[in-house]
Structure formats: structure tokens, C-alpha cells
Amino acid sequence: MHIVVCIKQVPDSAQIRVHPVTNTIMRQGVPTIINPYDLFALEAALQLRDKLGGEVTVLTMGPPSAEDSLRRALTYGADRAVLLTDRFFAGADTLATTYALATAIRKISETFGAPDIVFTGKQTIDGDTAQVGPGIAKRLGLLQLTYVAKISEVDPVARTIEAERRSEGGVQVLKTRLPCLVTMLEATNEIRRGAMADALRAARAKIVTWSAKDAGVEDISKCGLKGSPTIVKRVFAPSARAEKATFVDFSSRPPADALIEELFKRQPKLEAELITSAHGF
């Protein structure tokens, strides 16, 4: 099987800064990590590769420094890494990102073989949109399984995949055809420690680096800031509340009674409304 895993190098969420003019994330000087959700997607892909055979190709779009995250993915056991980097990709929203990544996946298909499964994390910790995975699937015409907690079975002969998907009502067990795209939830597996052999291989590996032209991007206007219809009007930190927290003494009465008394004291009309609602008059 050939599995493609899309990862993203993201700023450490504890040190994110926002540009005051463009309202985009400032990445210069901020420590970066692999998006945590993507690590669970990578582990799921590696487990399938180990079980069924084949190759895992890791893909990312970002600045040249994103090569660090790709080498980290290679240390976990990925077979190949592809970096999509070009100044035309800068400032991309999810629409422009999916256009570039889908184009790169088509190029990967032509160069290294068509992928049977494309994995992504559920979302990224910098954008938090959860739109990129489904957007790639739409552009490539792939069936998609989102919010997947477990890959139950993959049958490469019958070309089917069965997975458990978390939903608000519980867990759905879904089965679909390959090729498909899967977005993985957090804490769905235990991420392995890379073997020493993989670490040495990662240090020496040649990262496949493609510009927009190399990847076959035909319309540059659909990339980066120019191809991004999403506009962030304002970014701000919430102001502190003027009202301070109130200490409620539980020493002389049950906590529930104390809280209800304090609530009715703050909301004088609430008690009467509840009595009226209960008795219907």
C-alpha cells in the first residue's frame, strides 16, 4: 500500500504571536513542533504499513524550515518526505492550502504511485478549523472518514477500510472503499519511539522539495494570500472581567444550598420565575 500523511509544522501554541497589520500568525523566532493531531495520523499510517506492507510518504507545505518536521517524521519510520515550499504559498487560508496540497498529492501519485489512503490530523492547533482534510478529499474526489478514533480493518484485496468514528451520539462503525482520506482524532494510539536506524536514515535522507512549478500548480492566483478569500478582521486578547470572583462559605451549610442561595441573591427575579414555571402560574 502507498499511504500519504499530510503534516504541518506549527508554532508552539504557548508562544504564538499575531502580526498587528496582516492578522496572520508570526512564525519567525517562535519554536515549532509537528501538529500534535498529525502525529496520531502518522502513527496510524505506520501501523498499517507495518501490517500490510508498502510505503508511507509524508507531505507538508511550509517554509524551508519545515524540513525539520519532515526529518522528525522520518525518524518515526516514514519512508519518504516531500516539502512543498514557495513564496507563493505564504499566507494561505484553508482553501488555498487544500488547493496546493491536493496538487502536490497528484504529483506524488504520478511520481511515487497513487496513494491508497491519505491521512491528516483532525485539525491543527494554530488554525483549529478542521477543514483541510475534507477540503483535500473534495478536491481529489476521495471518499472521506473524519474524526476517526480507530482503524478496525483494511482489506487491500477487496479495497475496503473499516473505521470507528466518534460522533455526538456515540461511535459510528463505517466501511468504505479505497482510496479514501482519513482524519484522525487525538489520543487514538501511542506514538512510537523512532528506532536508531530510522534516526540515522532521517539525518542523511534527501527531502524531496517542490516549488509551485515543480508540483504542477497551474494557477498561482489560487495559492497563498491572493488565493485566500478568508479575511481576519481583528485579532485580540479578551479583556479581563471587571467583576471579581465571589468566595462562598460551605462550612456551615451544604454546598448546593449555599450556591443556590448565592445565585438567587445575584439574580433576584430568577427564584420567582422558577416557581412560576414549576407551578404553571
Side-chain angles (χ1 to χ4, degrees), residues 18-38:
V18 177
H19 195 284
V21 177
T22 63
N23 287 323
T24 56
I25 292 174
M26 296 173 63
R27 304 180 186 274
Q28 293 80 10
V30 180
T32 57
I33 57 174
I34 297 178
N35 178 52
Y37 293 102
D38 298 343

Side-chain angles (χ1 to χ4, degrees), residues 22 24 87-93 96 221 223-230:
T22 63
T24 56
R87 61 185 180 84
F88 293 112
F89 299 139
D93 67 358
S221 67
C223 298
L225 206 56
K226 288 184 177 180
S228 302
T230 305

Side-chain angles (χ1 to χ4, degrees), residues 231-267:
I231 298 174
V232 180
K233 184 177 180 181
R234 187 166 69 102
V235 177
F236 62 96
S239 56
R241 291 185 178 183
E243 186 178 1
K244 295 183 179 180
T246 300
F247 176 78
V248 180
D249 185 8
F250 294 156
S251 60
S252 60
R253 49 189 171 164
D257 293 343
L259 289 174
I260 291 173
E261 182 179 332
E262 184 66 27
L263 182 62
F264 286 160
K265 187 186 299 183
R266 286 170 172 265
Q267 303 287 336

